[in-house]
Amino acid sequence: MSTPKMSIAHRLYTGHLSYDFIKHRRQWFIVSGVLVVASILLLLVRGLTLGIEFTGGTDFQAPMKIEAGTVDAVRAQAADLTVSDLEPQVFSLGETAIRIQTRTLDTEELQTTRAEIAQIAGVDSSEVAYNAIGASWGKEISRQGVIALLVFTVLVMLLIAVYFRDWKMSIAAIVAVAHDLIVTVGVYAAVGFTVTPSTVIGVLTILGYSLYDTVVVFDKIRENVHGLEETNHTYSEQANLAVNQVIVRSINTTVIGIIPVVALFVAGTWLQSAQLADLGLALLVGMIAGAYSSLFIAAPLLAWLREREPGMVKHREQIQRRAERAERKAAQREAEALALATAGGPAPVETAPRQQRRTSGSRAERKGRKK
C-alpha cells in the first residue's frame, strides 16, 4: 500500500523537510547588516523629503475637475509661477480638487500665488483656500512621535519578557523591529517620497505587524523547547524546527496582506494621491521586511543568545558524550563481529527489534491476569 504523498507545508511542519536557518545565521546577519548600513548611508547622504507638515509652508486647495494628465499639467504650470523658489508640490484631492503646497510665503507672495493658482484652476481667487502651516507644529509632532516610539519600545520589551518569561526574546524582537524601521525609512530616502503624516501612520502600523510575526515564531519556539534538557536536541535545532513549521504560514499571511497594500500603492501612484502612495509604500516595505526579520533575524539571534547560557552549554556537552558512547559501542560490536568471522566462528546473532508493548500494564500485572 503506497504512502500518501505529503505536502511541502506538512513536510516542513513534521521535520521531513527542513532548511537550516539557524546554521546559516551568519549569512543572514551579514545581509541584514548590509541593508541597515545602506539605509543609514542613504539617510545621511540623501536625507528625507519632509512634507510641509514637518517643515512648515503654505497649502493651497482649489476646486478643479481631475482627469488623466490633469496633475501633470498643473505641475508644469505651477513651475512657472511668478514667486521664485516656491518648489511647488502638486497632488489631487479626489476628482474635484487640486492641492499645491509651497514654502512659507509672506503676504504679498501669498496673494500673488493664490491668484495665479486660481487662474490655473479656472476659478475665482476667492475659491482658492489656503492654510499656513508653521514649522513649530511639525517639530512638536516629530518630538511626540519620538517619545511614542520610545514608550512603545519599552512596553513591548516588558510585555514580551513577561509573556515568554525570557528577556532575551525581548532583545531579539526589538532588534528585528529596529531593522524593519531603518530599512523602511532607508527606502523612503532612496525613492525620494515625501514624508507626510500618512508615512508616520504606515511606519507605526508596520511596527505592530513585524512584532506580531515575531511573536508567532517565538511562541512556536517556546512550545518546541519545553523539556529540552530531557531530549537529545539542542535549542538551535528546536528553534530551527519552529521556523520551518511557521514559514509557510508566514509567507501566506504576508502575501495575502501585501495584495491590498500593492493595490493601495498602485492606486495612489496612478491617481497621484500622495497620501495613498505614502501609506502604501510604508506598508509594503515594512510588511516584507517584517516577514523577513522574524524568520532570518529574530529566531537566529534568539538561538545564538540562548546557546551561550551555561545550562545550554552543559546540555550540548551531554548530548555529545551520549553520541560518542553510542559510536564507541557500535565500533566495539563491529570489531567483535569481524573477529568472530575471521576465526571461523558462528555468525553473531542479530538482536531482533523489540516488539512494541500492546498493553499499558506492567509485566507483573500481565502475569497476575494469566493466573
Side-chain angles (χ1 to χ4, degrees):
M1 183 176 178
S2 62
T3 305
K5 187 176 181 181
M6 294 187 294
S7 65
I8 293 179
H10 187 64
R11 292 169 65 193
L12 286 169
Y13 193 86
T14 56
H16 289 84
L17 178 64
S18 174
Y19 175 78
D20 203 336
F21 292 88
I22 308 301
K23 181 180 178 181
H24 298 97
R25 60 174 172 250
R26 184 186 297 273
Q27 300 171 10
W28 300 117
F29 288 167
I30 292 174
V31 171
S32 305
V34 169
L35 287 174
V36 170
V37 171
S39 300
I40 294 174
L41 289 177
L42 283 169
L43 283 172
L44 296 176
V45 175
R46 293 175 59 92
L48 292 172
T49 305
L50 299 176
I52 66 171
E53 294 85 355
F54 299 96
T55 61
T58 306
D59 182 81
F60 295 94
Q61 296 182 22
M64 188 176 187
K65 185 177 181 180
I66 305 300
E67 298 176 342
T70 300
V71 174
D72 290 334
V74 172
R75 185 174 290 124
Q77 293 177 284
D80 297 328
L81 293 175
T82 303
V83 178
S84 59
D85 301 328
L86 278 179
E87 299 180 358
Q89 297 179 17
V90 182
F91 314 103
S92 64
L93 288 175
E95 298 178 352
T96 58
I98 196 80
R99 163 180 278 178
I100 300 178
Q101 295 180 337
T102 68
R103 62 172 173 80
T104 303
L105 304 176
D106 58 30
T107 304
E108 184 178 352
E109 290 175 335
L110 177 63
Q111 296 303 325
T112 302
T113 304
R114 186 185 186 191
E116 291 181 343
I117 291 176
Q119 187 176 0
I120 293 173
V123 297
D124 188 77
S125 179
S126 60
E127 297 182 60
V128 178
Y130 66 92
N131 185 25
I133 302 174
S136 59
W137 185 84
K139 291 180 180 178
E140 180 63 20
I141 291 296
S142 301
R143 189 181 68 85
Q144 293 182 3
V146 171
I147 294 174
L149 184 61
L150 294 176
V151 172
F152 167 84
T153 302
V154 173
L155 290 179
V156 163
M157 292 187 73
L158 288 174
L159 180 63
I160 292 179
V162 171
Y163 180 71
F164 290 106
R165 299 178 182 176
D166 186 350
W167 61 270
K168 292 180 180 176
M169 285 189 172
S170 300
I171 294 177
I174 289 302
V175 170
V177 169
H179 164 272
D180 302 340
L181 179 64
I182 294 173
V183 170
T184 303
V185 177
V187 170
Y188 253 81
V191 301
F193 266 45
T194 304
V195 177
T196 64
S198 298
T199 308
V200 177
I201 294 172
V203 170
L204 293 177
T205 304
I206 63 172
L207 293 182
Y209 181 87
S210 172
L211 195 63
Y212 167 77
D213 224 24
T214 301
V215 168
V216 170
V217 178
F218 284 177
D219 203 41
K220 180 57 70 174
I221 292 177
R222 181 177 63 171
E223 179 182 323
N224 288 351
V225 300
H226 180 69
L228 182 69
E229 291 76 7
E230 307 302 325
T231 69
N232 283 331
H233 299 291
T234 64
Y235 193 96
S236 294
E237 291 172 345
Q238 294 303 90
N240 191 68
L241 174 62
V243 175
N244 280 277
Q245 288 174 326
V246 302
I247 186 171
V248 173
R249 175 190 181 281
S250 182
I251 291 174
N252 290 339
T253 305
T254 304
V255 170
I256 293 173
I258 280 179
I259 291 175
V261 172
V262 170
L264 181 70
F265 176 69
V266 171
T269 306
W270 181 263
L271 299 175
Q272 298 187 349
S273 174
Q275 289 80 6
L276 290 180
D278 292 343
L279 182 62
L281 180 63
L283 291 176
L284 181 62
V285 177
M287 290 177 71
I288 296 174
Y292 165 81
S293 65
S294 62
L295 300 174
F296 295 93
I297 297 178
L301 179 59
L302 172 64
W304 181 77
L305 292 172
R306 292 299 306 273
E307 288 287 11
R308 300 170 68 84
E309 296 176 358
M312 293 299 162
V313 173
K314 181 179 178 182
H315 179 58
R316 287 202 308 274
E317 291 174 350
Q318 289 176 343
I319 294 175
Q320 186 175 1
R321 285 196 294 270
R322 291 173 196 161
E324 290 173 351
R325 282 199 299 268
E327 289 180 0
R328 284 197 299 270
K329 288 181 179 178
Q332 185 178 359
R333 286 196 295 269
E334 186 176 350
E336 290 174 355
L338 181 60
L340 287 173
T342 304
V349 179
E350 294 185 0
T351 306
R354 191 172 184 177
Q355 292 185 350
Q356 186 175 3
R357 183 182 297 171
R358 290 176 293 180
T359 61
S360 59
S362 64
R363 181 177 295 178
E365 292 173 343
R366 291 198 299 275
K367 287 182 176 179
R369 284 197 294 268
K370 287 181 180 179
K371 292 177 181 179

